[in-house]
Each structure stands twice: as structure tokens, then as C-alpha cells.
Amino acid sequence: MLTACSVHYEVAENKLTYQKDIQVDILKVQSSDGQSAWGNRMLVPPKGHTFVNMWLLLTNNTNSEEVVDLTKIYLLNADTKMKYPVAKIYQATLVVIGAGANLKLSPGEQTKRVLMFSYPKKQRPELLEMNGTMYKIAYK
């Protein structure tokens, strides 16, 4: 998966809301200072950046099909509030498979996605913005 050392951040319970009745749980956060071999090609973060992978569980608590635009999720710099957009989206499976930005969820459906961000090195991701709302990421 990754070719350099990585840092696993132990997250606490993070139950966030993408939009009314669409719940997002942060399951895991990991950063890597090197290249990423996820998918069918090598990705290299920009100079001074690292890749941050965030495992999410998305739940549709409505009675209708809903579409979640995963490109409306950003990591934010806690000091400057600069937004770092999603660089890649993957299905959370044993074999890495790319996924689209628009996730369709049937009523009651739950699914996992891994979002990859390019983020400044030596900074733990503290803030997440989803669909225009800012959340503090809870760690243990």
C-alpha cells in the first residue's frame, strides 16, 4: 500500500453529519511521508506535503436514495483554515479499487470509503469540512 513510514492516528468516536440524516463516522486516519502505490499508479505528494488517508463509514438514515459528493470534504489547516481537497477516493476493500466522487446510497445503506488528501508534513489533521460545515477531528 505505502512505500514509506506512516503514522497511524488513533481516533476517538467521530459521528459527523454530511447533510441531514447522512451520518459520517471517521474510522481511521493515517499519514505517509512517501509515495502511494494505491490503485494502478504511483502518486507522489507535493514538496513539503504528506498523504493523509481517512477511512469513513457513510450511513444513509433516510427513506430515499441520496447522493453524497465526496469532493465536498476537505481537510483544513487549523491555523490558516486553508482547504486541502480530496486527491483520490477509494473503496475500502482488501484490493484497492478507485471510486467515484458521487456516492449513491440506498435507504439505510452503509458503505466505507477511503479519502486521500495531500496535507502539510508534520501536522496532524485537526479539522474537517463537509458540505460547508467544519468539524474538529476527535483523537484518543
Side-chain angles (χ1 to χ4, degrees):
M1 175 171 90
L2 300 172
T3 61
C5 48
S6 59
V7 176
H8 300 272
Y9 299 108
E10 196 171 348
V11 293
E13 184 176 70
N14 286 276
K15 293 192 178 292
L16 315 174
T17 303
Y18 176 83
Q19 63 193 35
K20 187 178 183 213
D21 296 324
I22 302 294
Q23 181 176 312
V24 178
D25 298 311
I26 300 174
L27 304 175
K28 183 171 146 181
V29 178
Q30 173 184 335
S31 70
S32 170
D33 288 338
Q35 300 175 351
S36 172
W38 282 34
N40 59 358
R41 66 177 200 198
M42 257 335 195
L43 298 174
V44 179
K47 187 174 182 164
H49 282 219
T50 184
F51 283 126
V52 172
N53 296 309
M54 187 172 290
W55 281 255
L56 303 177
L57 175 66
L58 297 103
T59 306
N60 180 359
N61 293 315
T62 71
N63 292 325
S64 61
E65 181 177 273
E66 297 291 332
V67 177
V68 176
D69 182 354
L70 298 173
T71 64
K72 291 185 177 182
I73 300 176
Y74 302 90
L75 283 182
L76 298 176
N77 180 300
D79 297 325
T80 66
K81 304 301 184 274
M82 183 172 174
K83 292 182 181 184
Y84 294 91
V86 173
K88 285 301 228 179
I89 303 167
Y90 300 99
Q91 294 181 30
T93 58
L94 291 176
V95 177
V96 178
I97 300 171
N102 292 315
L103 173 63
K104 289 183 184 178
L105 292 170
S106 299
E109 182 180 4
Q110 284 189 325
T111 193
K112 293 179 184 176
R113 289 292 183 264
V114 180
L115 304 185
M116 177 187 283
F117 302 88
S118 173
Y119 195 71
K121 280 186 179 180
K122 299 182 182 172
Q123 291 186 25
R124 181 174 78 168
E126 298 290 337
L127 299 174
L128 187 71
E129 181 181 305
M130 285 194 307
N131 208 20
T133 303
M134 188 170 55
Y135 297 93
K136 183 163 178 50
I137 300 169
Y139 294 99
K140 291 184 182 179

